[in-house]
């Protein structure tokens, strides 16, 4: 018997997260420069110049531990979101917050509900805690929100073991979203002793009129947790800052579980500065809308189906040649994201790039196809 055999079974059975390939890695492998990454839903415009300045200042004192209570960031978020500081939990990316939540509620006796095709991290954190997965069948391929969360199917899974429900709105990798009325109705039907996470990683990108801000329901629902991130529209994925909004009591709970310095100094400074640049956020949103439109038009013209998206990516059905097309794009220095690990092998998820990146994508796809 080896030391590996003594490790927890649920850990040995975990599949590691498979991230998008880093640009430098592909450039090194192919001996090229200027590879394009459209694989991890990063902001193609980079980040705000205010962030760059704040980073230069903050980097003068990286010998110091960060503010473990993230005082300034919580103050700025509280102002912006009209919420109290004691309702905010900062994390090392929102993935860290999802992990804190799972560890606060799940053990071998508990179960978490999430949808088929939901963001992979829900399955990972559930399994890492030894919790049971209650996976709800998603909407079908022809539904209005193809492969999206079926809230009725999720509701039907609630039983005595259920401790936690994960909802991504919008969901990654499908881009599907839930409307105000259906999501509100769902939350009202979940028993109060079960925690509900609404993951709003793409919140700032969504422009649908009936898309809800779940944080407006926190007062009414003390079992509700909303998670957001600086990784997406704010362009700070490399600095790892995300957060949860919840009741002060839940926030207090997460504060006990978290590592003391889970928000790093550069990330905290950058996130504060990012909140000061509303113009950059607006510009990012506009680029995204234009890019999504370009992509939809192009794929429609070429006869490819895609899942309608409210995020900063489009998941396109390339059929059985998906893996080959992915490889061919890679050989040409364009990184997109296969989603076979989500059991969607016929699709590739493509992040919205700049107009010039998208034009290169289309040119290369034309040659490949
Ligand atoms: C990208 C993403 C996150 C954010 O991850 P970070 O850890 O904050 O970088 C969370 N949820 C979903 C659904 C995502 O797509």
């Amino acid at each position: 018997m080896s030391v590996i055999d003594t490790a927890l079974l649920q850990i040995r059975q975990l599949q590691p997260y498979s991230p998008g390939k880093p640009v430098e890695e592909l450039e090194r492998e192919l001996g090229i420069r200027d590879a394009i990454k459209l694989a991890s839903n990063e902001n193609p415009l980079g980040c705000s110049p205010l962030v760059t300045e704040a980073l230069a200042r903050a980097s003068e004192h990286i010998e110091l531990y960060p503010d473990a209570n993230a005082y300034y960031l919580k103050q700025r978020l509280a102002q912006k979101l009209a919420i109290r500081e004691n309702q905010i939990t900062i994390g090392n990316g929102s993935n860290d917050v999802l992990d804190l939540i799972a560890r606060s509620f799940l053990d071998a006796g508990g179960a978490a509900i999430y949808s088929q095709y939901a963001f992979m991290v829900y399955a990972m954190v559930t399994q890492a805690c030894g919790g049971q997965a209650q996976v709800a069948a998603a909407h079908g391929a022809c539904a209005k929100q193809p492969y999206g969360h079926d809230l009725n199917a999720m509701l039907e899974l609630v039983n005595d073991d259920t401790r936690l429900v994960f909802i991504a709105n919008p969901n990654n990798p499908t881009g599907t979203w839930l409307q105000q009325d259906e999501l509100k109705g769902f939350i009202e039907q979940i028993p109060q002793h079960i925690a509900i996470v609404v993951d709003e990683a793409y919140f700032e990108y969504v422009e649908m009129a009936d898309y809800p801000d779940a944080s407006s329901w926190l007062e009414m629902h003390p079992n509700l947790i909303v998670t957001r991130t600086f990784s997406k529209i704010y362009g700070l994925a490399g600095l790892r800052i995300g957060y949860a909004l919840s009741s002060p009591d839940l926030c207090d709970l997460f504060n006990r579980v978290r590592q003391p310095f889970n928000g790093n100094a550069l990330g905290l400074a950058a996130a504060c500065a990012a909140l000061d640049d509303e113009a950059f956020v607006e510009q990012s949103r506009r680029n995204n809308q234009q890019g999504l439109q370009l992509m939809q038009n192009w794929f429609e013209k070429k006869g490819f189906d895609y899942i309608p998206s409210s995020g900063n990516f489009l998941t396109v059905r390339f059929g059985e040649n998906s893996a080959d097309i992915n490889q061919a794009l890679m050989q040409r220095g364009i990184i997109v994201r296969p989603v076979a690990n989500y059991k969607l092998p016929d699709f590739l998820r493509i992040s919205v790039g700049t107009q010039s990146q998208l034009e290169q994508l289309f040119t290369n796809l034309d040659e490949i196809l």
Side-chain angles (χ1 to χ4, degrees):
M1 179 141 134
S2 83
V3 67
I4 299 300
D5 297 316
T6 55
L8 298 171
L9 183 64
Q10 74 256 26
I11 302 299
R12 282 183 282 148
Q13 289 177 339
L14 266 177
Q15 292 297 319
Y17 183 80
S18 78
K21 198 181 187 70
V23 169
E24 297 88 21
E25 189 176 310
L26 184 66
E27 291 179 343
R28 206 163 53 231
E29 286 172 8
L30 297 181
I32 60 165
R33 297 171 129 263
D34 305 323
I36 296 173
K37 185 179 176 201
L38 301 173
S40 301
N41 304 341
E42 294 143 335
N43 189 333
L45 305 184
C47 67
S48 159
L50 298 185
V51 166
T52 322
E53 285 167 31
L55 282 173
R57 280 194 303 276
S59 67
E60 287 171 16
H61 285 293
I62 51 173
E63 76 283 9
L64 301 177
Y65 277 103
D67 173 7
N69 291 317
Y71 177 84
Y72 290 108
L73 180 55
K74 286 186 190 174
Q75 196 182 46
R76 290 288 291 109
L77 281 171
Q79 270 168 8
K80 186 180 162 67
L81 305 173
I83 209 162
R84 278 165 290 148
E85 281 90 340
N86 65 0
Q87 297 183 271
I88 304 172
T89 304
I90 301 294
N92 184 34
S94 55
N95 284 338
D96 181 34
V97 177
L98 295 170
D99 187 57
L100 295 179
I101 297 167
R103 285 196 287 134
S104 302
F105 289 102
L106 293 178
D107 62 9
I113 296 176
Y114 51 85
S115 175
Q116 187 185 12
Y117 313 121
F119 186 44
M120 192 69 82
V121 169
Y122 312 149
M124 296 180 67
V125 296
T126 299
Q127 194 182 334
C129 299
Q132 297 303 307
Q134 298 180 291
V135 184
H139 286 309
C142 301
K144 188 153 159 255
Q145 298 282 338
Y147 309 101
H149 293 13
D150 179 342
L151 294 179
N152 291 327
M154 294 178 75
L155 203 54
E156 274 174 24
L157 292 181
V158 173
N159 65 17
D160 290 345
D161 294 334
T162 309
R163 305 275 180 276
L164 188 55
V165 180
F166 287 107
I167 288 176
N169 196 30
N171 184 44
N172 166 20
T174 58
T176 49
W177 71 98
L178 298 160
Q179 299 174 356
Q180 166 111 2
D181 291 350
E182 55 175 336
L183 183 55
K184 191 157 180 283
F186 174 81
I187 291 170
E188 283 163 3
Q189 289 179 78
I190 296 287
Q192 287 193 8
H193 68 277
I194 297 174
I196 308 167
V197 178
V198 180
D199 177 346
E200 296 182 340
Y202 301 93
F203 177 80
E204 300 84 356
Y205 275 117
V206 185
E207 302 204 287
M208 283 72 188
D210 53 4
Y211 172 73
D213 169 355
S215 75
S216 67
W217 304 327
L218 287 172
E219 293 296 329
M220 266 178 311
H221 296 284
N223 57 335
L224 179 61
I225 305 155
V226 178
T227 61
R228 296 199 189 146
T229 184
F230 285 90
S231 298
K232 301 286 155 64
I233 208 164
Y234 293 104
L236 306 184
L239 289 170
R240 314 302 306 128
I241 299 288
Y243 60 96
L245 308 172
S246 69
S247 73
D249 287 342
L250 279 178
C251 189
D252 174 60
L253 210 61
F254 304 145
N255 191 43
R256 298 167 198 225
V257 189
R258 74 180 176 94
Q259 296 291 317
F261 303 105
N262 63 337
N264 73 86
L266 296 181
L268 293 176
C272 281
L275 290 174
D276 285 335
D277 198 343
E278 203 35 58
F280 175 79
V281 173
E282 188 48 46
Q283 188 192 354
S284 301
R285 206 162 16 231
R286 210 163 43 238
N287 179 74
N288 192 60
Q289 282 312 314
Q290 290 166 352
L292 259 185
Q293 197 60 58
L294 280 178
M295 291 167 84
Q296 290 170 359
N297 293 348
W298 194 86
F299 285 110
E300 261 162 46
K301 195 175 72 194
K302 300 288 170 179
F304 289 97
D305 271 355
Y306 55 78
I307 308 176
S309 173
S310 58
N312 64 346
F313 55 90
L314 195 66
T315 299
V316 181
R317 189 198 296 272
F318 288 95
E320 55 191 17
N321 294 327
S322 289
D324 294 338
I325 292 170
N326 176 50
Q327 280 309 318
L329 282 171
M330 191 95 81
Q331 288 308 311
R332 292 153 174 266
I334 299 178
I335 312 169
V336 299
R337 188 68 156 269
V339 281
N341 56 338
Y342 281 92
K343 302 214 170 69
L344 292 169
D346 289 354
F347 290 82
L348 296 173
R349 192 193 71 197
I350 308 173
S351 305
V352 176
T354 60
Q355 184 163 345
S356 121
Q357 289 174 330
L358 292 177
E359 278 159 10
Q360 290 181 64
L361 169 75
F362 301 150
T363 306
N364 280 280
L365 273 175
D366 260 333
E367 289 167 15
I368 293 166
L369 299 166

